[in-house]
Amino acid sequence: HPIYSAGQHEDNNVKIEQLLPVLKDRANVYLAGHDHDMQHLKPEGGLHFFIAGTGGKLRTIEPGPRSLFARGANGFAVIEADAQTFTVRFIEADLSSPYSYTLRRAGSGTGRGIQ
């Protein structure tokens, strides 16, 4: 389940209070499903929030104040990682890629960095 979401299930106050403090400034990525959409939400404490729940019932979504990307579409997410980068790419059913985001290891360019 997402911590934050502009989708149907919205922000999860229990996860915000109990899980977010454990992850902030310790983890770089929180990947969730549950909402039937694709989302990348503004990071908090260095933690990026991605939602890839696009394999089921299609739902529309209105971007919220935390949204960097939000789309209702059938598809999936591809994660590619190596020693320097971590990329999340959303893929739609027609195999197009409407959005991708790359985190880079600290000292190797833009982004907070992977640890």
Side-chain angles (χ1 to χ4, degrees):
H1 293 222
I3 294 175
Y4 293 121
S5 177
Q8 179 181 359
H9 296 287
E10 302 177 332
D11 295 350
N12 184 315
N13 290 327
V14 172
K15 291 196 181 328
I16 291 168
E17 293 171 13
Q18 296 179 2
L19 182 58
L20 186 58
V22 175
L23 297 174
K24 281 174 39 175
D25 298 315
R26 291 185 179 102
N28 297 105
V29 173
Y30 184 85
L31 179 62
H34 196 55
D35 270 329
H36 293 226
D37 50 46
M38 303 172 178
Q39 296 184 61
H40 180 198
L41 301 152
K42 290 179 185 175
E44 184 175 324
L47 181 64
H48 287 262
F49 305 92
F50 294 94
I51 299 171
T54 58
K57 181 178 179 180
L58 186 60
R59 294 190 179 129
T60 59
I61 182 170
E62 290 292 323
R66 294 183 184 277
S67 298
L68 298 173
F69 176 81
R71 185 183 215 119
N74 287 317
F76 55 94
V78 172
I79 297 173
E80 298 176 273
D82 60 30
Q84 300 302 316
T85 61
F86 182 95
T87 300
V88 176
R89 187 169 26 130
F90 292 121
I91 307 294
E92 292 187 357
D94 66 1
L95 301 183
S96 65
S97 179
Y99 183 81
S100 69
Y101 188 85
T102 299
L103 286 89
R104 300 187 189 288
R105 179 178 289 283
S108 68
T110 60
R112 175 180 177 269
I114 345 175
Q115 299 176 357

